[in-house]
């Protein structure tokens, strides 16, 4: 270790110790305003860090191939005085917002605690070059004027592996803005985003429209939470065909949209055309809940509303508390949704609770070629189970399907000790054969163990009371990491390519000699690859992870003296 590096590290740690543990801890962080209220362009790479609050005023576009890196613990606030203030990642640009369980990145309202409300700002919008079934393969995001900055889709030559960056351990709060009916920005909006993009551990809370909406695209997502949104939790349109696993939807029983709120809503497009690619997303291990077993909001429509020629799959999931379980809607012009059910079932291996048994499955219209046979198929032949409430045996308090699915401040989506969700998952459907999916034994969002509860630590189910203007508690860890990276660059360099990779990639080493260890770990810290080898000053090591599920991994190279860690996105 060089003396200069040692002195630098000592200086950083001493300064930060005084900053974090001294009297300055409670001081307000400086605020950097992004945008004067009009459209603002970020055209070169930027890094935002947690020692500053970033204040979005108006529409802010990351464009021109620029990459925006947001460090763990960073707070981004939307200007409540400028309608629809939002952050847009345009085609060809990227966002790298990678938080940690203890230092998540938060996009939120600029209002003071206890004054925040839905729709205080616009939201986060990712636009890519993947597929959409709009004519010509491109369209424009809702809510804004058509133009190059709002266009998405790869046209006649889409890139399904397009990469818009990463969102990991991110919270989005009080977003969603309606410019006009059916013309809104959601909490988190995807426009033709490709599967080179990594989305994992994201919570959208108090959205003023949909919590999540996908317009086309192929992006895959894991560990999503939709909390107390006003419209739909998970909305898919325009040929979205991504894969999604482990999700939670939790609704306020007193809040719903006049258009009708659902856990899942899915259209092929707005008119139910046969345009390709067809909306064919796969949702697995989701739990969506609304209201309660005996209470209902007249504006809640159904746990899942599949309509307008959609072909989405809902598998190994739990739908509860809605006035209707599954609504298969063939009323819309051009729709053949009931035919899609007849041909491919769409909803299997699920648990559905609804206080009115006749509403477990609803077909509309009822007098069609497939309405009766579809109902019989879904009720009796799709390996789904139906209950009138969460306590499926009122005489046994341990027999809860989910422990606390309706508790807004401290929910617990683990199954009860004798829940039918335990041990009943099935991964035999061909759509679940992709290595993206983690094979588990339970239906719903999580298993029974404390360690199965992934909706802890990084989440917040009462964000309205939080004051985000205090000093960054992640400062020490971030600074030590920065010093360590400087040391690594001084002695040895590591690069990974291609990135994203389909299972196989190369680790290029410069400045390492002798015996080195290459270890690859997943987001849970489990080791998936570990190899010791000898290298010269410049070497390339090939790593094969063909059996690894898609997601973000960490590649650590160490020689006993120094250690360097880089990220790799496996897309399979």
């Amino acid at each position: 270790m060089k003396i200069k590096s040692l002195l630098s590290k000592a200086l950083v740690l001493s300064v930060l110790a005084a900053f974090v543990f001294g009297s300055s801890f409670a001081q307000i962080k400086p605020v950097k305003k992004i945008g004067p209220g009009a459209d603002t362009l970020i055209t070169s790479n930027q890094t935002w860090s947690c020692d500053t609050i970033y204040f979005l005023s108006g529409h802010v576009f990351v464009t021109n191939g620029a990459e925006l890196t947001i460090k763990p613990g960073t707070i981004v606030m939307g200007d409540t005085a400028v309608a629809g203030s939002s952050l847009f990642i345009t085609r060809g640009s990227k966002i790298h917002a990678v938080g940690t369980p203890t230092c998540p990145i938060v996009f939120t309202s600029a209002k003071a605690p206890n004054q925040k409300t839905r729709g205080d700002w616009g939201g986060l919008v990712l636009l890519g070059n993947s597929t959409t079934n709009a004519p010509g393969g491109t369209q424009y995001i809702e809510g804004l004027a058509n133009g190059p900055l709002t266009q998405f889709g790869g046209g006649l030559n889409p890139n399904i592996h397009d990469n818009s960056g990463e969102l990991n351990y991110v919270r989005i709060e009080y977003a969603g803005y309606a410019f006009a009916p059916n013309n809104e920005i959601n909490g988190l909006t995807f426009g033709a985003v490709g599967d080179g993009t990594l989305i994992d551990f994201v919570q959208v809370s108090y959205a003023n429209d949909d919590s999540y909406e996908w317009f086309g695209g192929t992006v895959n997502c894991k560990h999503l939470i939709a909390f107390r949104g006003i419209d739909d939790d998970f909305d898919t349109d325009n040929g979205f065909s991504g894969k999604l696993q482990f999700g939670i939807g939790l609704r306020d029983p007193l809040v719903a949209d006049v258009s009708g709120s659902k856990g899942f809503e899915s259209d092929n497009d707005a008119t139910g055309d046969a345009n390709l690619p067809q909306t064919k997303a796969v949702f697995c291990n989701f739990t969506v809940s609304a209201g309660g077993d005996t209470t209902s909001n007249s504006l809640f429509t159904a746990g899942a509303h599949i309509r307008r020629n959609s072909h989405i799959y809902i598998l190994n999931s739990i739908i509860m508390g809605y006035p209707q379980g599954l609504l298969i809607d063939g009323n819309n012009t051009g729709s053949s949704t009931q035919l899609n059910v007849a041909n491919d079932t769409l909803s299997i291996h699920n648990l559905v609770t609804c206080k009115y048994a006749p509403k477990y499955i609803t077909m509309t219209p009822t007098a069609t070629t497939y309405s009766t046979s579809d109902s019989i198929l879904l009720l009796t032949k799709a390996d789904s189970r139906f209950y009138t409430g969460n306590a499926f045996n009122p005489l046994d308090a341990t027999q809860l399907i989910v422990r606390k699915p309706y508790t807004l401040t401290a929910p617990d989506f683990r199954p009860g000790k004798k829940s039918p969700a335990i041990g009943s998952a099935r991964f035999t459907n061909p759509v679940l054969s992709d290595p993206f999916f983690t094979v588990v034994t339970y239906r719903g969002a999580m298993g029974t163990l404390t360690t199965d509860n992934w909706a802890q630590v990084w989440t917040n189910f009462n964000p309205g009371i939080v004051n985000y203007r205090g000093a960054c508690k992640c400062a020490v860890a971030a600074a030590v990491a920065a010093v360590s990276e400087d040391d690594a660059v001084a002695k040895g360099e590591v690069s990974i390519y291609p990135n994203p990779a389909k299972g196989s990639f190369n680790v290029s080493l410069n400045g390492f000699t002798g015996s080195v260890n290459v270890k690859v770990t997943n987001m849970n810290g489990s080791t998936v690859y570990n190899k010791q080898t000898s290298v010269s000053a410049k070497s390339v090591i090939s790593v094969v992870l063909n059996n690894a599920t898609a997601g973000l991994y960490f590649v650590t190279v160490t020689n006993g003296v120094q250690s360097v860690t880089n990220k790799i996105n496996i897309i399979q």
Side-chain angles (χ1 to χ4, degrees):
M1 182 74 70
K2 293 181 179 179
I3 294 176
K4 180 180 178 182
S5 180
L6 282 169
L7 292 173
S8 297
K9 183 178 289 187
L11 178 60
V12 168
L13 291 176
S14 63
V15 169
L16 284 170
F19 177 70
V20 174
F21 301 111
S23 60
S24 60
F25 177 78
Q27 72 181 27
I28 295 177
K29 287 187 285 189
V31 176
K32 182 176 181 180
K33 188 175 182 180
I34 311 295
D39 291 351
T40 298
L41 306 182
I42 296 176
T43 58
S44 59
N45 295 352
Q46 287 191 17
T47 297
W48 296 357
S49 54
C50 72
D51 57 0
T52 300
I53 292 174
Y54 296 87
F55 190 79
L56 302 174
S57 186
H59 300 146
V60 177
F61 297 90
V62 181
T63 188
N64 194 42
E67 300 190 16
L68 174 61
T69 299
I70 304 179
K71 295 291 188 177
T74 301
I75 305 300
V76 182
M77 293 184 173
D79 187 350
T80 60
V82 179
S85 292
S86 304
L87 179 62
F88 298 82
I89 311 301
T90 66
R91 293 187 300 179
S93 295
K94 295 179 182 178
I95 181 172
H96 303 288
V98 179
T100 69
T102 55
C103 290
I105 294 164
V106 181
F107 295 81
T108 191
S109 165
K111 287 183 179 177
N114 300 311
Q115 296 181 17
K116 305 170 187 178
T117 189
R118 295 173 182 83
D120 275 347
W121 64 291
L124 177 59
V125 181
L126 275 60
L127 306 177
N129 286 297
S130 189
T131 54
T132 169
N133 62 20
T138 61
Q139 58 189 116
Y140 299 92
I141 205 65
E142 289 183 350
L144 282 80
N146 294 353
L149 294 174
T150 59
Q151 189 176 48
F152 62 91
L156 300 180
N157 295 292
N159 177 12
I160 63 172
H161 303 310
D162 192 38
N163 183 357
S164 296
E166 303 151 306
L167 298 179
N168 292 101
Y169 294 108
V170 170
R171 300 203 307 259
I172 302 170
E173 303 166 353
Y174 301 101
Y177 185 80
F179 293 91
N182 299 315
N183 196 14
E184 309 98 352
I185 295 177
N186 306 285
L188 178 54
T189 304
F190 301 89
V193 175
D195 66 13
T197 308
L198 179 66
I199 309 295
D200 203 357
F201 296 101
V202 178
Q203 179 181 19
V204 176
S205 302
Y206 292 92
N208 200 43
D209 192 55
D210 300 329
S211 294
Y212 301 84
E213 185 161 13
W214 293 263
F215 296 93
T218 48
V219 63
N220 303 318
C221 308
K222 280 189 175 179
H223 302 105
L224 305 181
I225 300 175
F227 178 57
R228 300 181 80 163
I230 195 170
D231 198 0
D232 308 317
D233 292 333
F234 307 101
D235 192 347
T236 56
D237 305 279
N238 293 109
F240 174 55
S241 60
K243 296 175 282 290
L244 308 98
Q245 189 178 23
F246 307 122
I248 292 169
L250 176 56
R251 307 198 66 90
D252 186 330
L254 302 179
V255 177
D257 192 67
V258 292
S259 65
S261 299
K262 308 110 181 181
F264 301 96
E265 181 181 271
S266 188
D267 306 328
N268 194 46
D269 62 12
T271 59
D273 288 331
N275 293 343
L276 297 176
Q278 190 174 29
T279 299
K280 213 168 187 178
V282 181
F283 289 87
C284 184
N285 291 108
F286 274 63
T287 300
V288 294
S289 64
D293 290 340
T294 59
T295 61
S296 63
N297 189 316
S298 63
L299 294 177
F300 287 166
T301 301
H305 189 185
I306 306 175
R307 63 184 188 179
R308 297 175 181 170
N309 197 25
S310 171
H311 199 115
I312 73 163
Y313 297 89
I314 303 173
L315 311 167
N316 292 320
S317 295
I318 300 174
I319 297 171
M320 55 198 320
Y322 283 88
Q324 299 178 93
L326 302 176
L327 172 56
I328 309 301
D329 187 347
N331 270 329
N332 302 288
T333 302
S335 177
S336 57
T337 309
Q338 292 184 7
L339 176 60
N340 295 335
V341 172
N343 289 338
D344 209 11
T345 310
L346 305 189
S347 174
I348 59 177
H349 313 312
N350 297 312
L351 303 178
V352 177
T353 77
C354 176
K355 63 181 179 179
Y356 302 117
K359 296 292 187 179
Y360 289 156
I361 304 293
T362 303
M363 291 285 165
T364 179
T366 56
T368 67
T369 303
Y370 301 103
S371 58
T372 300
S373 59
D374 279 2
S375 294
I376 295 172
L377 172 65
L378 292 172
L379 281 168
T380 65
K381 299 180 180 180
D383 187 36
S384 292
R385 306 179 193 181
F386 301 87
Y387 306 90
T388 55
N390 184 37
F392 63 96
N393 183 350
L395 301 179
D396 187 346
T398 67
Q399 296 193 24
L400 297 176
I401 297 174
V402 178
R403 297 187 189 190
K404 296 180 180 179
Y406 306 126
T407 303
L408 296 178
T409 55
D412 187 347
F413 284 90
R414 290 177 297 160
K417 292 181 180 180
K418 299 180 181 180
S419 171
I422 299 172
S424 61
R426 301 290 182 270
F427 282 79
T428 55
N429 191 293
V431 300
L432 297 179
S433 64
D434 191 282
F436 167 84
F437 292 103
T438 301
V439 177
V440 296
T441 60
Y442 51 83
R443 303 187 191 191
M446 57 185 65
T448 58
L449 301 176
T450 300
T451 53
D452 290 333
N453 189 353
W454 50 265
Q456 301 181 95
V457 182
W458 65 279
T459 56
N460 192 324
F461 292 98
N462 193 14
I465 66 172
V466 179
N467 178 11
Y468 289 112
R469 295 179 180 271
C472 177
K473 298 179 182 179
C474 307
V476 171
V480 171
V483 172
S484 299
E485 289 175 4
D486 289 342
D487 293 342
V489 171
K491 286 195 170 185
E493 297 178 346
V494 176
S495 61
I496 299 175
Y497 64 92
N499 191 2
K502 284 191 169 185
S504 300
F505 58 90
N506 297 313
V507 180
S508 177
L509 308 180
N510 184 11
F512 286 85
T513 56
S515 179
V516 300
N517 181 260
V518 179
K519 183 170 71 172
V520 182
T521 56
N522 61 22
M523 290 289 290
N524 296 322
S526 300
T527 300
V528 298
Y529 179 95
N530 197 10
K531 183 177 181 181
Q532 194 86 14
T533 188
S534 295
V535 299
S536 57
K538 291 186 177 182
S539 303
V540 175
I541 300 172
S542 296
V543 176
V544 178
L545 297 179
N546 288 335
N547 295 323
T549 59
L552 182 69
Y553 291 79
F554 299 94
V555 181
T556 301
V557 178
T558 182
N559 62 359
V561 178
Q562 62 175 320
S563 179
V564 179
T565 299
N566 285 359
K567 294 176 294 185
I568 176 73
N569 187 0
I570 301 297
I571 58 176
Q572 293 296 4

